[in-house]
């Protein structure tokens, strides 16, 4: 038969008079036009229906009052049209929800298995179906990345990509998320992606300091090599030996921390004895005063020549003891870790450094999606002022996404 212009097929067995009330029925509707349902969609969804067709494949098995129903729903080329003002309309981004559910062929496939006992007062078949459909649409509208992650991302959170502090390089987890995002955008061509990357000073400070220190160390080796060769050298390919790193750190420590104090050269062994020794400057010796002062000191303060020669004067003895103690004290020694920490503390990244890092991360993600993922550039947007990254609970710098 037909339901309007849509083919209708019903087949199966039914025994309504038996005590078992056995039923095994299959019902198939194909190609029901949806625009005629616009009065309902306008009232409850807030949109007209632009186009679309509905097909249903229903199977019901009832035995001993136990119902097992299989509901396979296919909505083909279903698109909402103009906005309709209605106080009863749901306040959800339904067009986004449909784009999440619609596959690359323009179809929405929904499988709704229903199980229940007809004698259960809480079991209402229509209510269960509507609740299941409603839950699916609400989740697609409010948590789209959760659905996409389950379908295409292997369970990964596709709403953001995390980075190491101070870095724009992808880790293993980041690549897994991006690959899932590529698959999701490929299978859901109606979606557009917005990439929001903002400066994150607290999370990136340590990493940027370390990166800038590494650049300073490489620059010193580059200057040394430039004095010995005329060949072009890429700083990114330079490899520093532990001895070179220790020596360059000592030089930076002398320039940035110790300033004019003497820094002992680093030994090549790289042990604790190779760390720079901070030698305090000797205090200037007191100069002699005028004739009256010198005479007073000689008569009343300084010991007679005989006692000075014998070392019996208390002041002389104390001074000798103090000198001996000072001379025998070990000078302050810094470990390589302490030297590095003190040099790092002198590096203060500017606002432009954090902004450049944020922009670089977003650009690298966009490049990955467009080149490796072959996603159309018209669907990927950079939005520096978009959704800010989560704070408080975030333990790593991240770039966040939103869908349109």
């Amino acid at each position: 038969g037909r339901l309007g212009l849509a083919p209708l097929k019903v087949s199966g067995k039914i025994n309504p008079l038996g005590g078992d009330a056995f039923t095994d029925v299959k019902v198939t509707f194909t190609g029901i036009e949806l625009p005629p349902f616009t009065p309902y969609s306008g009232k409850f969804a807030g949109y007209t229906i632009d186009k679309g067709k509905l097909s249903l494949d229903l199977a019901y098995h009832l035995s001993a009052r136990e119902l097992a129903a299989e509901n396979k729903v296919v909505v083909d080329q279903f698109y909402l049209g103009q906005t309709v003002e209605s106080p009863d309309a749901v306040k959800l981004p339904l067009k986004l929800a449909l784009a999440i559910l619609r596959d690359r062929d323009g179809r929405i496939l929904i499988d709704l298995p229903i199980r229940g006992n007809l004698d259960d007062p809480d079991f209402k078949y229509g209510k269960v179906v509507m609740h299941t459909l409603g839950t699916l649409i609400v989740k697609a509208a409010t948590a789209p990345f959760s659905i996409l992650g389950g379908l295409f991302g292997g369970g990964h959170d596709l709403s953001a990509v995390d980075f190491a502090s101070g870095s724009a390089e992808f880790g293993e987890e980041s690549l897994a998320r991006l690959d899932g995002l590529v698959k999701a955008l490929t299978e859901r061509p109606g979606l557009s992606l917005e990439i929001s990357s903002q400066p994150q000073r607290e999370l990136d400070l340590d990493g940027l300091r370390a990166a800038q220190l590494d650049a300073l160390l490489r620059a010193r080796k580059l200057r040394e090599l430039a004095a010995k060769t005329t060949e072009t050298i890429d700083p990114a390919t330079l490899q520093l030996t532990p001895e070179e790193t220790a020596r360059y750190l000592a030089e930076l420590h002398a320039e940035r921390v110790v300033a004019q104090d003497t820094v002992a050269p680093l030994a090549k062994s790289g042990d604790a004895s190779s760390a720079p020794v901070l030698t305090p400057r000797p205090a200037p010796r007191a100069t002699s005063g005028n004739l009256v002062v010198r005479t007073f000191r000689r008569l009343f303060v300084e010991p007679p020549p005989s006692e000075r020669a014998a070392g019996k004067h208390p002041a002389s003895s104390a001074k000798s003891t103090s000198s001996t103690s000072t001379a025998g004290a070990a000078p302050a020694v810094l470990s390589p870790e302490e030297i590095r920490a003190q040099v790092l503390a002198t590096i203060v990244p500017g606002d432009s450094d954090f902004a450049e890092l944020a922009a670089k991360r977003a650009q690298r993600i966009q490049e990955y999606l467009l080149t490796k993922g072959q996603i159309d550039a018209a669907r990927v947007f950079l939005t520096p002022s978009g959704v800010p990254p989560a704070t408080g609970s975030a333990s790593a710098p991240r770039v966040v996404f939103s869908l349109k």
Side-chain angles (χ1 to χ4, degrees), residues 275-327:
V277 178
L278 308 184
T279 307
R281 294 177 177 175
R285 297 178 60 87
T287 57
S288 300
N290 57 27
L291 178 61
V292 175
V293 174
R294 292 200 304 271
T295 302
F296 180 86
R297 289 176 58 84
R298 187 166 57 251
L299 292 176
F300 299 101
V301 179
E302 295 180 356
S306 59
E307 292 186 7
R308 286 202 304 270
K312 298 179 180 180
H313 192 271
S316 176
S317 176
K319 186 183 299 184
S320 175
T321 302
S322 176
S323 299
T324 302
S325 175
T326 302

Side-chain angles (χ1 to χ4, degrees), residues 338-361:
E338 291 172 325
I339 296 172
R340 180 181 177 85
Q342 291 186 8
V343 174
L344 282 172
T346 67
I347 299 175
V348 183
D351 291 341
S352 61
D353 296 316
F354 293 98
E356 289 174 5
L357 177 60
K360 185 177 181 181
R361 286 169 173 164

Side-chain angles (χ1 to χ4, degrees), residues 10-77:
V10 181
S11 63
K13 300 177 181 179
I14 182 171
N15 183 15
L17 301 179
D20 190 21
F22 176 82
T23 301
D24 189 1
V25 177
K26 293 184 179 181
V27 181
T28 303
F29 296 92
T30 305
I32 303 173
E33 292 287 348
L34 293 178
F37 293 91
T38 284
Y40 301 99
S41 68
K43 179 177 176 61
F44 298 110
Y47 291 97
T48 62
I49 297 178
D50 191 20
K51 64 176 181 176
K53 291 188 177 184
L54 173 67
S55 297
L56 300 173
D57 188 359
L58 312 177
Y60 301 100
H61 182 84
L62 178 64
S63 179
R65 309 292 290 172
E66 291 291 336
L67 175 66
E70 303 293 337
N71 303 276
K72 298 184 184 300
V73 182
V74 179
V75 187
D76 190 21
Q77 307 302 318

Side-chain angles (χ1 to χ4, degrees), residues 181-247:
L181 198 57
V182 166
K183 188 174 182 180
L185 291 174
T186 301
E187 295 296 326
R188 297 294 185 262
L191 294 174
S192 295
L193 183 74
E194 294 184 352
I195 305 171
S196 174
S197 179
Q198 297 189 21
Q200 299 165 76
R201 178 177 291 273
E202 293 184 0
L203 297 175
D204 279 320
L205 178 58
D206 291 342
L208 271 180
R209 279 177 166 170
Q212 292 183 4
L213 174 58
D214 182 69
L216 290 173
L217 298 177
R218 291 177 182 275
R220 288 181 176 261
K221 181 168 184 177
L222 187 62
R223 286 198 297 267
E224 289 185 357
L225 294 177
K228 302 176 183 178
T229 180
T230 58
E231 296 181 1
T232 302
I233 303 173
D234 182 5
T237 63
L238 287 179
Q239 298 294 326
L240 275 65
T241 65
E243 292 78 10
E244 289 173 331
T245 300
R247 176 160 56 88

